[in-house]
């Protein structure tokens, strides 16, 4: 969610995309998220069984 002056603006920003190819085709389905000590996110894909790591810049 975007923030302005430390207050949520109500707008969202997609930071993990590409799972949905079309209304009829998906590449996976993110189902769980865990936050690591370094600030990265682990995202579980329950279709492929993979775990994706999203790291901060």
């Amino acid at each position: 969610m975007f923030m302005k002056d430390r207050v949520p603006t109500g707008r969202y920003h997609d930071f993990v995309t590409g799972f949905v190819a079309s209304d009829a085709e998906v590449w996976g389905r993110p189902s769980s998220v865990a936050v690591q000590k370094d600030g990265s996110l682990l995202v579980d894909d329950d279709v492929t069984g993979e775990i994706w790591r999203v790291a901060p810049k």
Side-chain angles (χ1 to χ4, degrees):
M1 180 177 290
F2 286 103
M3 307 284 280
K4 182 177 181 180
D5 300 324
R6 301 178 64 131
V7 178
T9 64
R11 294 181 49 222
Y12 291 88
H13 177 75
D14 291 332
F15 61 92
V16 177
T17 61
F19 288 101
V20 179
S22 69
D23 286 341
E25 183 181 17
V26 297
W27 295 101
R29 185 173 56 191
S31 61
S32 303
V33 176
V35 180
Q36 299 292 282
K37 289 182 181 181
D38 67 355
S40 64
L41 300 176
L42 298 179
V43 181
D44 173 44
D45 182 337
D46 71 353
V47 170
T48 66
E50 295 175 296
I51 297 176
W52 299 88
R53 181 174 179 265
V54 180
K57 289 184 177 181

